[in-house]
Structures are given as C-alpha cells and as structure tokens.
Amino acid sequence: MNTVLPLLEAPPRTLQLSDSAREGLARTPFGLYVHVPFCATRCGYCDFNTYTADELGPGASRAEYAGTAIAELRQAAQTLGSDLPTVSTVFVGGGTPTLLAADDLAAVLAEVRRLFPVASDVEVTTEANPETVTPESLARLRAAGFTRISLGMQSAAEHVLAVLDRRHTPGRAVEAAHEARAAGFEHVNLDLIYGTPGETDADWAASLDAVLAAPVDHVSAYALIVEEGTRLARRIDRGELPVPDDDVLADRYEQADATLRAAGFDWYEVSNWARGEAARCRHNELYWANANWWGVGPGAHSHVGGLRWWNVKHPAAYAGRLLRGESPVQDTELLDDDDRALETVMLGLRLREGLPLTALSEAGRTRAADAVGRGLLEPGAHAAGRAVLTDRGRLLADALVRDLTD
Ligand SMILES: C[S@@+](CC[C@H](N)C(=O)[O-])C[C@H]1O[C@@H](n2cnc3c(N)ncnc32)[C@H](O)[C@@H]1O
Ligand code: SF4
C-alpha cells in the first residue's frame, strides 16, 4: 500500500475529501463506527486499542468521552458537507462501550440523527460486556434506538474464562442475552472464542449448547489468536500455557459449524453465523463489501471512496486534538487499483457468497482451478464463475487467500 497524501506531517486542521472519493457517497451504503476505548480490566489475550483507568493517564476521561466523540461526528458532517450520505448502520464498539452511561451512548446516537440523514431501517449495534449491562441500562439503550447488541461471552467453562482473564461468570452472558431480549432488542449476538489452552471438546460443546439455549439470532466464533505483547503471549513464552494447536482449532471450528447448522444457523462469513438473512450484521457486511464508513474515536479507521484514514491512537491525544478544534486524523492512504483488488479478494472470499472469478488475477484464476481440485472451492460455483469456499476451504481460508493473491 502506498501513502500518498503528504498532508500530515503537521496535524491537519480538516480532512480534505477529493471529488473522486466523494463520487460514490450517494449510492454506496454508509456506516458509522464509534470506538469506545475503555475497559474495566484487560483480558489477557486482547490487544485492542482500549485502556483501563490505570493505563489511561491524564487528558482523557470516560465522563467526557461522549462529548469528544460528538465533536468528531460534527467534524465528519462538516467534511462530508453537501454530500452527506444516509447512514445505514451505526456500530458502537470497543473496548467496552457499556462502561459509558447508557445516557452517554444515547446522546451520541441522538447527535448522529441530528447531523445525518438516517435510513428508516437503520441497524444500530452496541458491543457490551455481560457484567456491564443491567435490565435498566438495556431498556435505556433500546429506547434510544439501539436495535442490536453483541455480548462477549467467550466460553461457558469457568476455567477457560479464568485463562482468558474474563471477569464474568459463565452464566452471566446468557442472562444478559435474556435481559436484552426482554428490553426489546431485535438482534442479539454472543461472541465465543475457541482453542483456549486447557479447553476440552466437552467444554466447547457446553459453550455451544449454552449459546443455543440463549435467545440469540447471531453467533460469532473466533479462534484464539495469540497477539504479540499480550499477557497471554508472555505466559505462552514462559511455558506456562501451550500454544493453541492448529488441528484442535480445525476440529473446534467443524464442531461449531455442525452444532450451529443443526440449530438453524447458517454461516455467512467464516467466523459468523446467523439465523436467517435478517439476522446478519449489516455493519460488518458493509466492511466486507468495502463500502464507505467513518470511524469515530481514538485509533478508529475510516474509508470513503478508496481514501482510508485513521485517527491518533491514544485517547488523550485524540481528545486534545478535538479540544483544539483540529482533526484527529493521524494519517491517510489512497488505495490504488491493486490494493483494492487485493482487499476485495481478502474480504470477499471469506463470505458465503464468495466472489466473482473476475476479481482474481490471471494467476489467481489458475490457482482457483487448482483449489477446486483440492476440494477447497465449490466446483458448481466455479463453473458458474464464482470462487466459493467449501466446508474444508473454510478451515484453510486464510492460506487460500494468500495463495490466490500471491
Ligand atoms: C471488543 S470485544 C467485544 C466486547 C467486549 N469488550 C467483550 O470483550 O465482552 C470483541 C471480540 O473480539 C474477540 N477477540 C478479541 N481479541 C481476540 C483474540 N486475541 N483472539 C480471538 N478473539 C478475540 C472476542 O471474542 C471479543 O468478544
Ligand atoms: S476482550 Fe473486550 S473486555 Fe477484554 S480487554 Fe478486549 S475489549 Fe476489553
């Protein structure tokens, strides 16, 4: 990827969008992401841009965060100017958005509605940690216009949650899902992680059963990734915990897919299952389709018409910029045709619909034909001009993306 715009040696006062970047705004779905960079404690596996109260230091406060995010939303509306797109999805993620008062999240959403045209069927998601929501806070969020909630459950086994440094009991996530439904949320997701050191087949089966006993219409299941610099990575380096085993990860994935499928959930992206099309996360679909979105918050990434940019990472630096009326953008990057083609394959191949073979280079198309022979791509779809993963292909999706884009 090539960094093109030389504008950011000094912080820009405003972000400039070229005419070509603006071109597709009216006809491309547009999403807003709001990053909330706070957590009560840090889970040992997580390297997201999030801070505990101890880690945060001066210059950024949770209490003032909604106001800071609103300041960036106002800049966004000003930058987009007369080309203001209609917002089709809003996703508040983190970190732990529900560490903020429900009134603060409601205020951010109210400002989105004041500044932007919003689709009548807008999807509004918040992520949440199970221990940070109550029936009252969920009711407030629902009344404010949130339609979807994504709760981090990770596992139903107490000893697995302990290795992951999670603070909630196994039952709390399921209870929170019930509370969200009772509050009127249309869509409820639970996140699971598989392959944690010490997790057994029976633990994973119990986690899947627990999720299916909850009132959810969406499940995300991620293989545990050992991120450099995390407590988990240090424990593995010291030999206290084993590295997640690739064969075990593959078995767990197959077990998840079979169990979820039998319960009426279909995969629509390698790590995501939904009960029917209406239950898919439209915000994530917008990312995977490489549509347009504005990411608000420290470290948040944005994409409009081939221009990408990302904000300064630390909440104090971010708040400082906005306080001074400056743009929080750290840097920008203009995607060229090769970058965009690569992203289309990386994102599209992981989807159930796959991607047209015409999205591949000539060498990629030859390799796709080989992949059909190796049982990784569907032969019928291939004959009809598409690259669509088989069940076995899903287990090797990342390696296949590398192979097709080499
Ligand atoms: C921002 S968190 C979700 C909301 C909330 N902070 C929580 O943890 O409950 C997003 C999800 O990313 C996943 N995740 C984060 N780090 C991961 C890692 N190293 N390996 C696998 N999944 C990870 C977890 O499933 C987590 O629920
Ligand atoms: S997994 Fe969620 S709760 Fe845990 S540190 Fe990461 S963002 Fe925070």
Side-chain angles (χ1 to χ4, degrees), residues 39 41-43 45-46 48 50 94-96 129 166:
C39 284
T41 56
R42 178 171 297 267
C43 307
Y45 55 89
C46 179
F48 287 27
T50 185
T96 306
N129 283 35
R166 300 287 297 186

Side-chain angles (χ1 to χ4, degrees), residues 46-366:
C46 179
D47 77 341
F48 287 27
N49 188 34
T50 185
Y51 303 80
T52 62
D54 285 350
E55 290 168 345
L56 201 56
S61 92
R62 280 184 203 169
E64 285 162 19
Y65 186 71
T68 313
I70 284 172
E72 189 185 350
L73 279 172
R74 290 180 183 158
Q75 281 192 1
Q78 210 170 18
T79 302
L80 293 162
S82 55
D83 298 316
L84 269 190
T86 299
V87 174
S88 55
T89 61
V90 179
F91 193 104
V92 184
T96 306
T98 43
L99 269 189
L100 298 189
D103 280 348
D104 283 359
L105 298 179
V108 171
L109 189 54
E111 189 68 6
V112 168
R113 288 186 180 281
R114 196 183 71 78
L115 292 167
F116 290 87
V118 169
S120 57
D121 65 344
V122 65
E123 172 193 274
V124 187
T125 304
T126 186
E127 288 186 332
N129 283 35
E131 71 279 17
T132 59
V133 291
T134 61
E136 294 72 33
S137 69
L138 290 164
R140 176 73 185 98
L141 292 173
R142 182 67 196 100
F146 284 83
T147 61
R148 188 173 179 276
I149 188 159
S150 175
L151 291 150
M153 169 167 169
Q154 322 311 352
S155 174
E158 214 154 333
H159 69 101
V160 172
L161 291 178
V163 172
L164 294 173
D165 296 320
R166 300 287 297 186
R167 301 293 144 145
H168 49 89
T169 58
R172 179 56 206 149
V174 171
E175 199 175 68
H178 280 283
E179 291 169 1
R181 279 285 189 209
F185 276 85
E186 288 164 57
H187 302 294
V188 181
N189 168 65
L190 286 173
D191 280 347
L192 288 175
I193 288 181
Y194 55 91
T196 301
E199 180 190 65
T200 63
D201 288 349
D203 291 332
W204 182 230
S207 295
L208 292 165
D209 288 348
V211 160
L212 291 175
V216 298
D217 61 357
H218 191 286
V219 179
S220 302
Y222 304 108
L224 178 66
I225 298 170
V226 181
E227 303 283 3
E228 246 177 76
T230 58
R231 187 172 122 81
L232 176 71
R234 287 193 294 280
R235 293 183 71 190
I236 288 176
D237 285 348
R238 287 199 297 266
E240 282 172 37
L241 295 170
V243 185
D245 178 280
D246 281 347
D247 291 338
V248 171
L249 292 176
D251 288 349
R252 296 264 195 277
Y253 183 85
E254 286 180 328
Q255 194 181 343
D257 190 52
T259 309
L260 291 168
R261 194 184 298 200
F265 287 77
D266 288 320
W267 76 283
Y268 68 105
E269 193 271 350
V270 170
S271 302
N272 288 279
W273 288 260
R275 216 172 223 156
E277 277 201 26
R280 293 179 175 194
C281 174
R282 283 197 278 127
H283 187 80
N284 281 337
E285 288 191 311
L286 180 148
Y287 289 149
W288 298 328
N290 236 331
N292 292 329
W293 71 91
W294 193 296
V296 167
H301 285 237
S302 303
H303 171 248
V304 173
L307 181 71
R308 276 186 194 279
W309 65 92
W310 51 96
N311 288 345
V312 290
K313 200 169 169 194
H314 198 279
Y318 172 78
R321 290 268 190 109
L322 286 157
L323 214 59
R324 294 192 295 274
E326 294 170 2
S327 161
V329 172
Q330 159 103 48
D331 209 347
T332 63
E333 176 180 74
L334 193 59
L335 300 184
D336 64 21
D337 289 347
D338 286 349
D339 297 332
R340 293 181 94 160
L342 182 67
E343 292 216 336
T344 300
V345 178
M346 277 170 52
L347 299 167
L349 192 67
R350 293 177 61 87
L351 302 179
R352 188 187 186 95
E353 286 76 18
L355 76 160
L357 292 172
T358 49
L360 299 171
S361 65
E362 209 176 310
R365 284 198 288 274
T366 307

Side-chain angles (χ1 to χ4, degrees), residues 4-59:
V4 176
L5 301 189
L7 53 91
L8 299 172
E9 271 152 22
R13 294 208 67 78
T14 55
L15 180 82
Q16 302 295 329
L17 285 179
S18 65
D19 288 346
S20 68
R22 289 174 181 277
E23 224 169 67
L25 270 172
R27 53 174 197 280
T28 311
F30 183 83
L32 282 170
Y33 173 74
V34 180
H35 186 68
V36 178
F38 310 115
C39 284
T41 56
R42 178 171 297 267
C43 307
Y45 55 89
C46 179
D47 77 341
F48 287 27
N49 188 34
T50 185
Y51 303 80
T52 62
D54 285 350
E55 290 168 345
L56 201 56

